[in-house]
């Protein structure tokens, strides 16, 4: 519940600065809501809320988790932004290209700022 509340306020603050009417808040809340399902599908049996360490998991699981979260968030965001069934191709294109850029950026940031475990 705490993560959902934090994600709501994060999305709301983005909406206030960009004047987007709540679409970022909705996308962030939905992403936070399905986060446990995505954690279980990406990390499998090692998933537990208190014991998972992002730096100790293998790269494939980390990439899977980041990709699923990003694609989910962007899909909801662009569906709410465009909100037209006739422009479904445009929605999917924006989701795909924006997600690819975001995933690359997130992976680069995690590589640069990760602490090396000895």
């Amino acid at each position: 519940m705490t993560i959902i509340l934090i994600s709501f306020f994060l999305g709301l603050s983005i909406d206030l600065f960009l004047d987007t009417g709540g679409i970022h808040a909705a996308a962030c809340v939905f992403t936070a809501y399905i986060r446990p399902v995505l954690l279980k599908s990406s990390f499998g049996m090692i998933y537990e809320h208190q014991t998972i360490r992002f730096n100790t998991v293998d790269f494939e699981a980390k990439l899977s988790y980041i990709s699923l979260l990003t694609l989910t968030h962007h899909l909801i965001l662009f569906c709410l932004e465009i909100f037209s069934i006739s422009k479904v191709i445009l929605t999917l294109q924006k989701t795909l290209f924006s997600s690819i850029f975001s995933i690359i950026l997130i992976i680069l940031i995690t590589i640069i700022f990760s602490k090396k475990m000895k």
Side-chain angles (χ1 to χ4, degrees):
M1 181 67 182
T2 306
I3 292 177
I4 294 175
L5 197 60
I6 291 170
S7 67
F8 171 72
F9 286 118
L10 175 67
L12 188 64
S13 65
I14 294 170
D15 286 326
L16 288 174
F17 285 110
L18 296 179
D19 194 29
T20 51
I23 61 173
H24 285 89
C28 287
V29 167
F30 182 78
T31 305
Y33 181 73
I34 66 163
R35 181 179 164 265
V37 175
L38 298 179
L39 279 168
K40 286 181 185 176
S41 67
S42 295
F43 298 114
M45 295 303 291
I46 64 168
Y47 163 71
E48 292 178 21
H49 287 289
Q50 287 79 20
T51 61
I52 193 164
R53 298 269 186 218
F54 203 64
N55 289 337
T56 60
V57 296
D58 57 336
F59 182 75
E60 291 82 20
K62 196 184 307 185
L63 180 64
S64 169
Y65 177 64
I66 290 170
S67 299
L68 287 172
L69 275 179
T70 306
L71 282 167
T72 303
H73 175 269
H74 284 39
L75 181 64
I76 298 298
L77 181 74
F78 290 125
C79 282
L80 292 174
E81 179 185 352
I82 296 172
F83 206 70
S84 174
I85 200 75
S86 64
K87 295 183 180 176
V88 70
I89 299 297
L90 176 65
T91 304
L92 293 175
Q93 282 178 340
K94 288 180 84 168
T95 300
L96 178 69
F97 295 131
S98 180
S99 294
I100 289 171
F101 176 74
S102 297
I103 291 167
I104 290 171
L105 194 63
I106 292 167
I107 293 296
L108 286 175
I109 289 171
T110 56
I111 289 171
I112 290 170
F113 291 108
S114 67
K115 296 178 183 177
K116 298 294 179 188
M117 301 295 285
K118 292 183 178 182

